[in-house]
């Protein structure tokens, strides 16, 4: 036994010498405090929409916090913290027995000191060598610092989820308070986060966070740091967090889209930045409410409509709201910018714009009768033909036969050219069915195209970043506006507006009719797989899509149904404090600002007509 003991000491000494030889090189507090640059994204009205990167708060001493804050962490993470020397042999033994009994790793034996050593100096690599280094560093920390200092370092360095490190940043992120003013229950919520910051994030999963916090409260009762009465009055089913971002949880669709574009503007960045955007947090909240209200309705459930997206922008392309889906935390796929779907009759915008550019007019008459192209015959939604009608009425009733005939008469290549001119970058094959919207596009593309008609024919690029400011207030990027170019004859834009206004006044878009001049178009694809409504007023352009991610059919959902209701709900809230403005006058004033002479005034007649 003595020989074995000697050899054990030799072996331990060898391991200590081997792993401890260059361990001092890892003890570098400059490296330990390195972090990813923080990118803050701000709304037009000054709301902090999201933070990306590593966010640290101000250092705090555990002695400056309420006693129950440190006790909450010790109770749930390391009950013998004040009694061990950095390594808890009892805890390790207990965890080993538990894991063997359950047949998998169900419990860990790391102390707060070990967690601090790992977070400060070591990589996330899981190996026996790294574990030995963790033990040695823990022993070094116990010699170097007092228990109170170790706990303070731990609270200032631990990760709390949402890119937040340290209890100061976490207190402000989740509860909007200084850590010195944390309540007992708030401290329990934060103490429950280090185990699984994503799973117990109170912003994402308030019920799960509450369940974990209740476990912390029970642990505090077991260790005797709180009374039964305190434990009983601090048990909740959900965590209430600070309303720090009025944009709503689904604003992350927008902020993720923004973050992907920061590098395009400033290149590689290794400094903290503030990105100022065009998004209006109040409009964003209205957009999210409109989407949720429709998707959560019994009608949507009955008709098997599982997803929706909404984007709103000004006529010059400044994005004001973006909802890329029902729930960002369940699916980060952005159905505004990434999803390519068939637009149905919403695509007819380009068919009739091409026809108007080819000197056809809204009052021209055509006959709705059987029509074939290379053996293919388009069918109207009601499977009937309606005789002679004007192009305006053909648009208003979303007549398919006339749309295909107009496209073939004008030329499919002209239709494709005008779609590309208005910002559609998706591939568009020159097939007769193109006129009915069988080629896939994004909601952002279609909404941008309608914005060009709404502004009188000036080209726009949908944009959302106005300014990027780096450290010390240095402006790294600032958008220069006002350089619009005309891509549509103003008479064409005005007459197209007249036709789209008829859609809402007497056609398929009646469910979207507002209390002010507006125009838009419905779209429904075969088997009801996609339903669209895109429309505008003098102040705002908005597009809505509904469908299912797997492409499964909905139950007779048309663009004039649920999407039109969603669009109207959003637009009513968005315009409640805005004066009524004429579409024509708004477009005319824009043309005058661009320096165009009075010869363009005649397009105003097209904007003014077609809507009572």
């Amino acid at each position: 036994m003595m020989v074995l003991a000697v050899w054990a000491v030799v072996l331990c000494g060898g391991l200590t010498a081997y792993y401890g030889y260059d361990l001092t090189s890892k003890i570098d507090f400059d490296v330990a405090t390195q972090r990813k640059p923080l990118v803050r994204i701000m709304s037009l009205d000054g709301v902090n929409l999201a933070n990306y990167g590593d966010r640290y708060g101000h250092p705090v001493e555990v002695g400056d916090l309420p006693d129950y804050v440190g006790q909450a962490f010790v109770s749930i993470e390391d009950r013998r913290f004040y009694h061990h020397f950095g390594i808890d042999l009892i805890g390790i033994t207990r965890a080993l027995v538990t894991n063997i009994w359950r047949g998998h790793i169900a419990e860990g034996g790391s102390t707060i000191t070990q967690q601090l050593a790992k977070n400060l100096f070591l990589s996330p690599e899981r190996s026996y060598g790294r574990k030995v280094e963790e033990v040695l560093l823990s022993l070094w920390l116990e010699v170097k610092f007092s228990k109170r200092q170790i706990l303070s370092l731990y609270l200032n360095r631990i990760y709390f989820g949402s890119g937040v490190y340290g209890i100061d940043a976490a207190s402000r992120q989740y509860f909007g308070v200084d850590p010195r003013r944390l309540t007992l229950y708030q401290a329990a919520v934060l103490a429950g986060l280090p185990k699984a910051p994503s799973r117990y994030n109170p912003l994402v999963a308030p019920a799960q966070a509450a369940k974990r916090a209740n476990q912390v409260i029970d642990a505090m009762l077991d260790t005797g740091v709180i009374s039964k009465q305190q434990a009983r009055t601090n048990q909740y089913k959900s965590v209430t967090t600070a309303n720090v971002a009025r944009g709503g949880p689904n604003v992350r669709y927008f902020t993720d889209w923004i973050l992907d574009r920061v590098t395009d503007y400033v290149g590689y960045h290794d400094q903290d930045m503030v990105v100022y955007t065009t998004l209006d947090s109040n409009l964003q909240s209205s957009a999210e409410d409109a989407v949720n209200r429709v998707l959560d309705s019994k009608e949507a459930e009955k008709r098997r409509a599982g997803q929706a997206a909404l984007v709103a922008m000004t006529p010059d392309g400044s994005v004001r709201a973006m909802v890329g889906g029902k729930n960002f935390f369940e699916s980060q796929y952005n159905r505004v910018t990434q999803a390519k779907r068939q637009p149905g009759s919403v695509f007819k915008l380009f068919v009739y714009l091409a026809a108007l550019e080819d000197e056809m007019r809204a009052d021209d008459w055509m006959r709705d009768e059987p029509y074939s192209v290379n053996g293919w015959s388009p069918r109207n939604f009601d499977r009937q033909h309606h005789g002679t009608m004007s192009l305006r009425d053909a648009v208003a009733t979303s007549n398919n036969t006339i749309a295909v005939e107009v496209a073939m008469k004008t030329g499919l290549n002209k239709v494709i050219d005008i779609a590309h001119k208005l910002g559609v970058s998706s591939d568009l094959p020159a097939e007769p069915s193109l006129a009915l919207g069988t080629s896939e596009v994004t909601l952002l593309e279609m909404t941008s195209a309608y914005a060009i008609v709404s502004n009188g024919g000036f080209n726009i690029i949908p944009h959302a970043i106005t300014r990027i400011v780096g450290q010390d207030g240095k402006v790294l990027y600032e958008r220069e506006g006002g350089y619009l170019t005309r891509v549509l004859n103003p008479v064409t834009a005005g007459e197209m507006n007249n036709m789209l206004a008829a859609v809402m006044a007497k056609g398929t878009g009646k469910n979207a009719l507002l209390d002010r001049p507006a125009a838009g178009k419905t779209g429904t694809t075969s088997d009801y797989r996609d339903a669209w409504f895109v429309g505008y007023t003098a102040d705002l352009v908005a597009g809505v899509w509904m469908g299912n991610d797997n492409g499964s059919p909905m139950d007779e959902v048309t663009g004039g149904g649920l999407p039109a209701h969603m669009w109207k709900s959003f637009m009513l809230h968005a315009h409640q404090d805005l004066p009524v403005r004429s579409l024509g006058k708004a477009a005319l004033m824009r043309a005058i600002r661009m320096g165009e002479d009075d010869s363009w005034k005649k397009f105003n007649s097209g904007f003014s007509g077609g809507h009572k």
Side-chain angles (χ1 to χ4, degrees):
M1 292 295 292
M2 289 179 63
V3 171
L4 288 174
V6 170
W7 277 110
V9 171
V10 171
L11 181 60
C12 289
L15 284 172
T16 301
Y18 178 79
Y19 287 106
Y21 177 72
D22 65 342
L23 198 57
T24 53
S25 65
K26 299 178 185 288
I27 303 173
D28 186 340
F29 279 95
D30 290 332
V31 174
T33 55
Q34 285 182 355
R35 61 182 180 85
K36 297 177 183 177
L38 173 65
V39 179
R40 297 173 59 207
I41 298 181
M42 306 295 294
S43 73
L44 179 69
D45 49 338
V47 173
N48 187 186
L49 299 172
N51 297 309
Y52 294 86
D54 297 343
R55 180 183 175 192
Y56 289 86
H58 299 293
V60 296
E61 294 290 335
V62 69
D64 296 332
L65 303 174
D67 290 341
Y68 49 71
V69 176
Q71 291 166 350
F73 286 86
V74 171
S75 296
I76 195 67
E77 290 290 328
D78 186 3
R79 294 190 181 189
R80 279 173 290 279
F81 172 70
Y82 290 104
H83 306 291
H84 60 62
F85 51 92
I87 310 299
D88 185 3
L89 297 179
I90 297 175
I92 292 173
T93 303
R94 184 196 65 245
L96 182 63
V97 172
T98 300
N99 294 336
I100 293 174
W101 178 259
R102 296 188 181 182
H104 61 91
I105 298 177
E107 189 174 320
S110 293
T111 64
I112 283 178
T113 313
Q114 286 177 270
Q115 292 180 52
L116 177 62
K118 177 174 61 178
N119 288 323
L120 276 178
F121 306 117
L122 300 175
S123 69
E125 174 195 0
R126 303 185 71 176
S127 66
Y128 290 112
R130 196 204 62 83
K131 198 68 178 176
V132 172
E133 291 178 336
E134 179 185 302
V135 169
L136 294 176
L137 285 170
S138 299
L139 296 174
W140 177 82
L141 286 170
E142 289 282 341
V143 172
K144 186 76 174 177
F145 302 103
S146 68
K147 288 290 187 180
R148 174 170 287 191
Q149 288 175 317
I150 290 173
L151 185 56
S152 296
L153 283 169
Y154 172 81
L155 292 177
N156 286 316
R157 290 292 305 184
I158 198 70
Y159 182 56
F160 286 93
S162 297
V164 170
Y165 291 81
I167 194 164
D168 179 70
S171 299
R172 300 177 193 278
Q173 169 77 2
Y174 296 121
F175 302 114
V177 300
D178 185 289
R180 298 166 186 82
R181 296 181 179 177
L182 284 169
T183 66
L184 171 59
Y185 188 72
Q186 289 170 342
V189 173
L190 296 182
L193 280 170
K195 180 179 180 180
S198 298
R199 188 192 315 164
Y200 300 127
N201 188 322
L203 296 176
V204 180
Q208 284 292 98
K211 186 177 179 180
R212 175 63 175 165
N214 293 340
Q215 294 175 352
V216 176
I217 292 293
D218 291 339
M220 295 177 74
L221 177 62
D222 288 343
T223 55
V225 296
I226 62 172
S227 66
K228 289 183 179 180
Q229 177 64 23
Q230 287 176 304
R232 191 163 44 248
T233 57
N234 283 279
Q235 296 277 340
Y236 297 94
K237 293 183 178 180
S238 183
V239 176
T240 301
T241 55
N243 187 20
V244 293
R246 285 181 289 155
N250 283 339
V251 76
R252 283 288 302 275
Y253 287 112
F254 173 80
T255 58
D256 278 10
W257 180 61
I258 289 296
L259 188 68
D260 289 341
R261 276 147 187 77
V262 168
T263 304
D264 296 337
Y265 290 105
V266 300
Y268 171 77
H269 56 89
D270 59 356
Q271 60 176 302
D272 291 352
M273 294 186 298
V274 181
V275 181
Y276 295 92
T277 73
T278 61
L279 184 130
D280 185 313
S281 68
N282 292 309
L283 290 185
Q284 178 67 20
S285 293
S286 296
E288 293 188 23
D289 288 344
V291 171
N292 292 335
R293 191 179 302 114
V294 172
L295 285 181
D296 292 340
S297 68
K298 291 183 179 179
E299 184 72 8
E301 181 180 3
K302 174 184 174 182
R303 296 191 178 278
R304 300 193 298 274
Q307 275 293 354
L310 186 155
V311 63
M313 63 182 67
T314 60
D316 72 349
S318 298
V319 176
R320 291 288 190 255
M322 179 183 290
V323 183
K326 183 177 183 179
N327 189 316
F328 175 84
F329 297 107
E330 291 180 359
S331 170
Q332 289 78 52
Y333 184 58
N334 192 331
R335 295 155 189 85
V336 171
T337 63
Q338 294 175 292
K340 289 194 172 186
R341 307 289 296 226
Q342 291 184 353
S345 294
V346 169
F347 191 85
K348 291 175 183 175
L349 172 77
F350 307 119
V351 173
Y352 288 100
L353 281 174
L356 293 173
E357 293 267 293
D358 201 33
E359 299 186 351
M360 295 183 74
R361 289 293 172 258
D363 291 326
D364 288 352
W365 294 86
M366 293 191 69
R367 186 164 182 79
D368 175 20
E369 58 187 3
Y371 179 78
S372 296
V373 184
N374 300 326
W376 174 72
S377 300
R379 294 187 301 179
N380 293 321
F381 183 77
D382 60 3
R383 303 293 193 269
Q384 297 179 18
H385 293 285
H386 301 275
T388 303
M389 65 176 65
S390 67
L391 293 189
R392 180 185 294 105
D393 288 341
V395 173
T397 59
S398 203
N399 189 284
N400 288 338
T401 303
I402 290 178
V404 174
E405 190 172 354
V406 168
M408 297 307 296
K409 181 178 179 181
T410 305
L412 291 174
N413 287 332
K414 289 184 178 179
V415 174
I416 294 170
D417 287 345
I418 202 137
H420 287 160
K421 189 188 296 185
L422 268 64
V424 175
S425 59
S426 301
D427 292 333
L428 304 173
E431 300 172 351
S433 62
L434 174 72
L436 305 184
T438 56
S439 294
E440 296 179 338
V441 294
T442 68
L443 179 58
L444 186 64
E445 286 177 315
M446 291 307 304
T447 307
S448 301
Y450 276 76
I452 292 174
V453 177
S454 79
N455 70 31
F458 291 102
N459 184 42
I460 62 121
I461 297 175
H463 59 273
I465 297 177
T466 58
R467 191 159 50 106
I468 301 176
V469 178
Q471 291 176 340
D472 302 322
K474 181 180 179 182
V475 177
L476 304 177
Y477 164 81
E478 190 156 17
R479 179 177 175 79
E480 297 179 359
Y483 299 101
L484 301 178
T485 57
R486 181 169 287 287
V487 292
L488 286 178
N489 184 301
V491 177
T492 299
E495 199 151 6
M496 189 71 243
N497 168 82
N498 181 292
M499 298 162 79
L500 294 175
V503 173
M504 298 179 66
K506 61 180 181 180
T508 58
K510 286 185 289 187
N511 285 330
L513 193 63
L514 300 175
D515 57 353
R516 64 188 63 224
K521 186 71 185 76
T522 60
T524 310
T525 63
S526 59
D527 297 325
Y528 305 98
R529 297 179 189 278
D530 303 274
W532 300 61
F533 190 90
V534 184
Y536 54 85
T537 65
D539 298 289
L540 205 60
V541 188
V544 169
W545 166 86
M546 289 190 72
N548 294 302
D549 287 338
N550 61 5
S552 61
M554 296 178 287
D555 186 5
E556 298 187 355
V557 175
T558 65
L562 292 176
H565 287 295
M566 185 185 298
W567 185 90
K568 181 176 182 177
S569 173
F570 167 71
M571 293 294 266
L572 284 174
H573 281 86
H575 288 80
Q576 58 186 354
D577 296 323
L578 297 178
V580 175
R581 294 209 299 156
S582 160
L583 291 168
K585 288 181 180 179
L588 182 59
M589 291 304 297
R590 191 173 293 106
I592 293 173
R593 285 198 303 271
M594 294 304 298
E596 296 186 344
D597 59 33
D598 291 347
S599 64
W600 295 112
K601 283 188 177 181
K602 58 183 178 179
F603 85 93
N604 190 44
S605 61
F607 272 94
S608 301
H611 182 89
K612 299 294 184 182

